[in-house]
Amino acid sequence: MAQKAAKTLATRNGALLNRTHMISATLHVLFLVLHQIFQRPRSLKPYFLLAVPTLLIEYYLDRVGRPSYNEDGSLRSAGEDLNATGLTEYMWDILYWTQGCIVAVCVFNDRAWWLWAVVPLYSVYLAYTTVMGVKKGFAGMGGGAGEGAGDSEGAKSKREMKKEKRGDRAKVRTR
């Protein structure tokens, strides 16, 4: 049972990469065949501009996540975790969104490439929420000064709230 986690990661990465390559190849070939059959009046510029860079992302994910084996079949390296959060997760989002856009272009027409505009908008949204979260985190470091100072009067303990709810507020004595 040596390196069970590494073997599991290698198996999961290999299966995920193989499935992704098959889906991606199928969609790209389908798009190019449909483009040739129907002789669409538009050029392939949107395809090369928007879909081909995702092939570079797919290549990068394959280089980073593909497990490598020794000559005797033993596992040398399981590769990086392709389910990791952060930039890897964002790359998978771009890859899946582009595959969806290719399907939309095959079904509808070349105007469906405008769906790809969601990616930069999503990036701006993520950046905004991150900045606001950091700003809110720094605002709480004031140590009770500023806007949080007036809230301490209105804050009640759970015990006080329960007593007030029962109507026992008048029975509370202060010494």
Side-chain angles (χ1 to χ4, degrees):
M1 287 293 213
Q3 298 181 342
K4 184 176 183 206
K7 290 177 184 177
T8 304
L9 179 64
T11 304
R12 187 175 59 223
N13 282 354
L16 179 64
L17 288 170
N18 290 338
R19 183 177 65 234
T20 301
H21 292 326
M22 289 300 297
I23 292 170
S24 183
T26 302
L27 289 176
H28 287 280
V29 168
L30 177 69
F31 172 79
L32 294 172
V33 166
L34 288 176
H35 187 76
Q36 287 296 15
I37 289 174
F38 292 116
Q39 296 292 327
R40 295 192 175 156
R42 299 189 190 259
S43 68
L44 290 173
K45 285 182 185 177
Y47 172 74
F48 286 115
L49 181 68
L50 300 173
V52 172
T54 59
L55 294 175
L56 297 174
I57 290 175
E58 193 171 340
Y59 174 75
Y60 172 75
L61 291 173
D62 187 67
R63 294 285 292 170
V64 169
R66 179 71 63 185
S68 60
Y69 297 94
N70 293 324
E71 291 180 15
D72 62 351
S74 62
L75 183 65
R76 180 185 315 154
S77 169
E80 297 293 324
D81 186 12
L82 294 177
N83 291 330
T85 58
L87 187 59
T88 305
E89 183 180 31
Y90 185 66
M91 284 192 234
W92 282 111
D93 290 344
I94 290 174
L95 188 67
Y96 292 145
W97 187 255
T98 304
Q99 289 176 351
C101 287
I102 290 174
V103 169
V105 168
C106 288
V107 171
F108 301 112
N109 64 11
D110 286 345
R111 291 180 190 231
W113 284 117
W114 283 102
L115 291 172
W116 217 84
V118 171
V119 173
L121 295 175
Y122 181 66
S123 299
V124 169
Y125 168 75
L126 284 178
Y128 175 76
T129 55
T130 302
V131 167
M132 295 312 283
V134 168
K135 188 176 179 181
K136 186 183 285 186
F138 282 139
M141 295 174 67
E147 60 188 53
D151 293 341
S152 61
E153 293 175 346
K156 299 176 185 174
S157 68
K158 287 185 180 181
R159 183 177 178 189
E160 288 175 346
M161 288 172 39
K162 285 180 183 179
K163 286 185 178 185
E164 186 175 297
K165 191 175 184 180
R166 285 188 302 213
D168 293 346
R169 186 71 176 153
K171 296 178 185 176
V172 177
R173 294 186 217 163
T174 55
R175 296 182 187 195

